[in-house]
C-alpha cells in the first residue's frame, strides 16, 4: 500500500503547468521591467542630450551676438578714425605756412614771385568708382560714412614770377621739385620782359599732404 501513489496525474500536471506559468510570468515581468527601465534610460539620455544641445545653441547664439557687436564696434571706431582723418585733410592745418616757407627757401637771390594762386577742388567718389593711381596728385580720403564714399582732393598751385636769368628760373623750379609735398612742378611759359629786364615765367605744381609726402 505504501507504493501506491494516491495523487492523481491530472493534479500533478496542473501543478506543473501552474509552476511553469509562474516562471513564465516572472520572466515576462523581468522583460517588461527591463524594457521600461531601458525606455526610461533612453528618454533621460535623450532629454539630457536635448538640454546639452539647447545649451550649445544658446552659447553659439551668444558668441555670434558678441562677434556681431565686436564687428559693429570696430566698424564704428574705424569710421570715427576716418572722419577725424578727413577733417584733418580738409583743414590742412599749417599747410599754407609750410608752403610759403618752402617757396621762400626755394627762391634764388635773383628770382622773385609776382603772383601765386592756390585752387583746391574736391569731389566724392561712390563705392566701386575708379580711384586715382598712386602717381596721381589727387589725394583720396575715406569719408567714414555708411555708404563708403571716398573724397578726392586736388590742390593746384599757379606761380608767376621773374628772374634775372634763365638759370635762376630753372634753379627755382628744380628746388621746388625737391620739396616734400610739392609734385608735378612744370614750367608753363617763359619770355623776356625787356622793360623789366627780366625773364618772366609761369609754372604750375600740385600740393599734396606733407605728412604723406614725407
Amino acid at each position: 500500500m505504501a507504493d501506491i501513489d494516491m495523487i492523481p496525474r491530472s493534479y500533478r500536471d496542473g501543478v506543473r503547468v501552474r509552476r511553469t506559468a509562474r516562471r513564465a510570468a516572472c520572466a515576462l515581468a523581468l522583460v517588461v521591467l527591463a524594457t521600461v527601465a531601458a525606455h526610461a534610460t533612453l528618454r533621460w539620455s535623450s532629454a539630457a542630450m536635448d538640454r546639452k544641445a539647447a545649451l550649445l545653441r544658446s552659447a553659439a547664439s551668444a558668441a555670434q551676438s558678441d562677434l556681431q557687436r565686436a564687428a559693429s564696434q570696430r566698424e564704428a571706431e574705424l569710421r570715427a578714425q576716418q572722419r577725424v582723418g578727413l577733417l584733418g585733410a580738409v583743414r590742412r592745418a599749417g599747410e599754407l605756412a609750410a608752403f610759403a616757407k618752402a617757396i621762400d627757401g626755394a627762391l634764388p637771390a635773383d628770382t622773385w614771385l609776382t603772383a601765386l594762386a592756390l585752387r583746391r577742388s574736391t569731389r566724392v567718389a561712390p563705392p566701386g568708382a575708379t580711384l586715382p593711381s598712386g602717381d596721381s596728385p589727387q589725394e583720396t580720403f575715406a569719408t567714414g560714412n555708411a555708404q563708403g564714399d571716398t573724397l578726392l582732393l586736388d590742390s593746384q598751385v599757379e606761380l608767376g614770377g621773374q628772374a634775372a636769368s634763365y638759370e635762376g628760373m630753372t634753379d627755382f623750379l628744380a628746388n621746388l621739385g625737391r620739396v616734400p609735398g610739392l609734385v608735378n612742378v612744370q614750367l608753363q611759359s617763359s619770355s623776356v620782359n625787356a622793360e623789366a629786364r627780366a625773364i618772366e615765367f609761369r609754372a604750375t605744381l600740385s600740393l599734396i599732404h606733407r605728412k604723406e609726402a614725407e
Side-chain angles (χ1 to χ4, degrees), residues 31-111:
V31 171
V32 171
L33 288 175
T35 302
V36 171
H39 182 67
T41 302
L42 181 61
R43 290 188 61 183
W44 180 84
S45 299
S46 178
M49 292 178 64
D50 289 341
R51 288 193 296 270
K52 289 181 179 179
L55 289 175
L56 289 175
R57 286 193 296 269
S58 177
S61 178
Q64 184 66 23
S65 298
D66 291 341
L67 288 175
Q68 290 176 350
R69 282 195 296 270
S72 299
Q73 184 176 359
R74 285 195 298 270
E75 184 177 357
E77 291 175 352
L78 177 59
R79 289 179 179 175
Q81 293 175 359
Q82 290 173 339
R83 286 192 288 269
V84 171
L86 179 63
L87 183 61
V90 173
R91 287 180 174 176
R92 309 296 277 258
E95 183 180 57
L96 293 182
F99 176 58
K101 184 177 179 181
I103 290 288
D104 185 61
L107 280 170
D110 61 347
T111 305

Side-chain angles (χ1 to χ4, degrees), residues 140-165:
T140 60
F141 301 92
T143 60
N145 59 19
Q147 290 76 21
D149 296 332
T150 301
L151 178 70
L152 302 181
L153 180 63
D154 190 9
S155 300
Q156 295 291 329
V157 179
E158 294 183 4
L159 298 174
Q162 294 179 341
S165 63

Side-chain angles (χ1 to χ4, degrees), residues 7 15 52 54-55 66-67 85 100 115-116 119 136 142 171 174 192 197:
I7 301 174
V15 170
K52 289 181 179 179
L55 289 175
D66 291 341
L67 288 175
L116 188 153
R119 295 181 175 86
S136 172
D171 286 347
V192 177
R197 296 182 181 181

Side-chain angles (χ1 to χ4, degrees), residues 17-36:
V17 169
R18 288 193 294 273
R19 186 180 299 116
T20 301
R22 283 196 297 272
R23 290 175 179 174
C26 291
L28 182 60
L30 291 176
V31 171
V32 171
L33 288 175
T35 302
V36 171

